[in-house]
mmCIF file of all heavy atoms in Angstrom:
data_model
loop_
_atom_site.group_PDB
_atom_site.id
_atom_site.type_symbol
_atom_site.label_atom_id
_atom_site.label_comp_id
_atom_site.label_asym_id
_atom_site.label_seq_id
_atom_site.Cartn_x
_atom_site.Cartn_y
_atom_site.Cartn_z
ATOM 1 N N THR A 298 -11.269 -38.377 41.790
ATOM 2 C CA THR A 298 -9.877 -37.928 41.837
ATOM 3 C C THR A 298 -8.960 -39.113 42.138
ATOM 4 O O THR A 298 -7.891 -39.252 41.542
ATOM 5 C CB THR A 298 -9.722 -36.840 42.904
ATOM 6 O OG1 THR A 298 -10.733 -35.865 42.690
ATOM 7 C CG2 THR A 298 -8.363 -36.186 42.821
ATOM 8 N N LEU A 299 -9.404 -39.965 43.069
ATOM 9 C CA LEU A 299 -8.617 -41.162 43.385
ATOM 10 C C LEU A 299 -8.476 -42.041 42.143
ATOM 11 O O LEU A 299 -7.395 -42.550 41.844
ATOM 12 C CB LEU A 299 -9.286 -41.932 44.525
ATOM 13 C CG LEU A 299 -8.670 -43.290 44.870
ATOM 14 C CD1 LEU A 299 -7.223 -43.126 45.317
ATOM 15 C CD2 LEU A 299 -9.478 -43.995 45.958
ATOM 16 N N LEU A 300 -9.575 -42.199 41.416
ATOM 17 C CA LEU A 300 -9.547 -43.017 40.211
ATOM 18 C C LEU A 300 -8.583 -42.429 39.171
ATOM 19 O O LEU A 300 -7.853 -43.156 38.505
ATOM 20 C CB LEU A 300 -10.965 -43.110 39.626
ATOM 21 C CG LEU A 300 -11.385 -44.450 39.046
ATOM 22 C CD1 LEU A 300 -11.229 -45.556 40.060
ATOM 23 C CD2 LEU A 300 -12.801 -44.382 38.529
ATOM 24 N N ARG A 301 -8.594 -41.104 39.077
ATOM 25 C CA ARG A 301 -7.672 -40.443 38.135
ATOM 26 C C ARG A 301 -6.228 -40.680 38.543
ATOM 27 O O ARG A 301 -5.357 -40.869 37.702
ATOM 28 C CB ARG A 301 -7.961 -38.942 38.071
ATOM 29 C CG ARG A 301 -9.186 -38.581 37.240
ATOM 30 C CD ARG A 301 -9.535 -37.110 37.406
ATOM 31 N NE ARG A 301 -8.438 -36.236 36.982
ATOM 32 C CZ ARG A 301 -8.287 -35.815 35.733
ATOM 33 N NH1 ARG A 301 -9.166 -36.143 34.831
ATOM 34 N NH2 ARG A 301 -7.269 -35.050 35.414
ATOM 35 N N ALA A 302 -5.986 -40.671 39.863
ATOM 36 C CA ALA A 302 -4.624 -40.913 40.328
ATOM 37 C C ALA A 302 -4.209 -42.355 40.052
ATOM 38 O O ALA A 302 -3.081 -42.617 39.621
ATOM 39 C CB ALA A 302 -4.515 -40.593 41.809
ATOM 40 N N LEU A 303 -5.138 -43.298 40.282
ATOM 41 C CA LEU A 303 -4.822 -44.712 40.073
ATOM 42 C C LEU A 303 -4.522 -45.002 38.605
ATOM 43 O O LEU A 303 -3.821 -45.952 38.282
ATOM 44 C CB LEU A 303 -5.988 -45.594 40.547
ATOM 45 C CG LEU A 303 -6.191 -45.680 42.062
ATOM 46 C CD1 LEU A 303 -7.441 -46.489 42.383
ATOM 47 C CD2 LEU A 303 -4.977 -46.292 42.750
ATOM 48 N N SER A 304 -5.090 -44.186 37.703
ATOM 49 C CA SER A 304 -4.831 -44.406 36.284
ATOM 50 C C SER A 304 -3.794 -43.416 35.763
ATOM 51 O O SER A 304 -3.731 -43.143 34.581
ATOM 52 C CB SER A 304 -6.137 -44.282 35.502
ATOM 53 O OG SER A 304 -6.722 -43.029 35.765
ATOM 54 N N ARG A 305 -3.027 -42.833 36.659
ATOM 55 C CA ARG A 305 -1.947 -41.861 36.421
ATOM 56 C C ARG A 305 -2.353 -40.673 35.521
ATOM 57 O O ARG A 305 -1.547 -40.055 34.868
ATOM 58 C CB ARG A 305 -0.639 -42.512 35.928
ATOM 59 C CG ARG A 305 -0.641 -43.314 34.631
ATOM 60 C CD ARG A 305 -0.172 -42.582 33.412
ATOM 61 N NE ARG A 305 -0.219 -43.405 32.227
ATOM 62 C CZ ARG A 305 -1.321 -43.717 31.583
ATOM 63 N NH1 ARG A 305 -2.490 -43.322 32.031
ATOM 64 N NH2 ARG A 305 -1.258 -44.446 30.468
ATOM 65 N N LEU A 306 -3.673 -40.353 35.557
ATOM 66 C CA LEU A 306 -4.102 -39.144 34.865
ATOM 67 C C LEU A 306 -3.807 -37.920 35.719
ATOM 68 O O LEU A 306 -3.621 -36.820 35.215
ATOM 69 C CB LEU A 306 -5.612 -39.194 34.578
ATOM 70 C CG LEU A 306 -5.994 -39.526 33.148
ATOM 71 C CD1 LEU A 306 -5.375 -40.818 32.696
ATOM 72 C CD2 LEU A 306 -7.485 -39.561 32.985
ATOM 73 N N LEU A 307 -3.780 -38.149 37.031
ATOM 74 C CA LEU A 307 -3.444 -37.070 37.952
ATOM 75 C C LEU A 307 -2.179 -37.507 38.687
ATOM 76 O O LEU A 307 -2.121 -38.608 39.231
ATOM 77 C CB LEU A 307 -4.593 -36.858 38.946
ATOM 78 C CG LEU A 307 -4.385 -35.735 39.960
ATOM 79 C CD1 LEU A 307 -4.413 -34.385 39.263
ATOM 80 C CD2 LEU A 307 -5.457 -35.794 41.033
ATOM 81 N N VAL A 308 -1.178 -36.651 38.671
ATOM 82 C CA VAL A 308 0.074 -36.984 39.349
ATOM 83 C C VAL A 308 -0.023 -36.495 40.792
ATOM 84 O O VAL A 308 -0.267 -35.316 41.025
ATOM 85 C CB VAL A 308 1.274 -36.317 38.643
ATOM 86 C CG1 VAL A 308 2.572 -36.671 39.346
ATOM 87 C CG2 VAL A 308 1.316 -36.749 37.186
ATOM 88 N N PRO A 309 0.116 -37.400 41.792
ATOM 89 C CA PRO A 309 0.025 -36.982 43.187
ATOM 90 C C PRO A 309 1.138 -35.974 43.513
ATOM 91 O O PRO A 309 2.251 -36.109 43.005
ATOM 92 C CB PRO A 309 0.241 -38.283 43.969
ATOM 93 C CG PRO A 309 0.067 -39.387 43.001
ATOM 94 C CD PRO A 309 0.410 -38.835 41.657
ATOM 95 N N SER A 310 0.818 -34.973 44.348
ATOM 96 C CA SER A 310 1.868 -34.027 44.706
ATOM 97 C C SER A 310 2.731 -34.593 45.827
ATOM 98 O O SER A 310 3.807 -34.071 46.103
ATOM 99 C CB SER A 310 1.274 -32.671 45.078
ATOM 100 O OG SER A 310 0.195 -32.834 45.952
ATOM 101 N N ALA A 311 2.258 -35.637 46.496
ATOM 102 C CA ALA A 311 3.108 -36.378 47.438
ATOM 103 C C ALA A 311 2.651 -37.829 47.398
ATOM 104 O O ALA A 311 1.524 -38.118 47.021
ATOM 105 C CB ALA A 311 2.974 -35.799 48.842
ATOM 106 N N GLY A 312 3.534 -38.723 47.844
ATOM 107 C CA GLY A 312 3.202 -40.141 47.800
ATOM 108 C C GLY A 312 3.237 -40.662 46.376
ATOM 109 O O GLY A 312 3.574 -39.919 45.448
ATOM 110 N N GLN A 313 2.887 -41.945 46.214
ATOM 111 C CA GLN A 313 2.899 -42.472 44.851
ATOM 112 C C GLN A 313 1.903 -43.595 44.645
ATOM 113 O O GLN A 313 1.444 -44.217 45.594
ATOM 114 C CB GLN A 313 4.302 -42.940 44.480
ATOM 115 C CG GLN A 313 4.876 -43.938 45.454
ATOM 116 C CD GLN A 313 6.323 -44.269 45.106
ATOM 117 O OE1 GLN A 313 6.844 -43.815 44.092
ATOM 118 N NE2 GLN A 313 6.962 -45.067 45.922
ATOM 119 N N VAL A 314 1.577 -43.817 43.395
ATOM 120 C CA VAL A 314 0.715 -44.928 43.017
ATOM 121 C C VAL A 314 1.619 -46.053 42.538
ATOM 122 O O VAL A 314 2.534 -45.827 41.739
ATOM 123 C CB VAL A 314 -0.275 -44.510 41.914
ATOM 124 C CG1 VAL A 314 -1.040 -45.711 41.393
ATOM 125 C CG2 VAL A 314 -1.229 -43.452 42.436
ATOM 126 N N ILE A 315 1.368 -47.249 43.058
ATOM 127 C CA ILE A 315 2.231 -48.392 42.746
ATOM 128 C C ILE A 315 1.474 -49.354 41.837
ATOM 129 O O ILE A 315 0.334 -49.724 42.112
ATOM 130 C CB ILE A 315 2.622 -49.152 44.035
ATOM 131 C CG1 ILE A 315 3.300 -48.212 45.030
ATOM 132 C CG2 ILE A 315 3.509 -50.341 43.718
ATOM 133 C CD1 ILE A 315 4.690 -47.799 44.664
ATOM 134 N N LEU A 316 2.114 -49.734 40.742
ATOM 135 C CA LEU A 316 1.543 -50.750 39.856
ATOM 136 C C LEU A 316 2.560 -51.878 39.754
ATOM 137 O O LEU A 316 3.710 -51.630 39.361
ATOM 138 C CB LEU A 316 1.259 -50.134 38.477
ATOM 139 C CG LEU A 316 0.741 -51.091 37.408
ATOM 140 C CD1 LEU A 316 -0.631 -51.618 37.759
ATOM 141 C CD2 LEU A 316 0.700 -50.404 36.046
#
Side-chain angles (χ1 to χ4, degrees):
Chain A
T298 310
L299 173 61
L300 219 56
R301 283 171 60 88
L303 288 175
S304 56
R305 59 98 181 75
L306 257 55
L307 181 69
V308 180
S310 47
Q313 55 185 355
V314 172
I315 303 287
L316 176 66

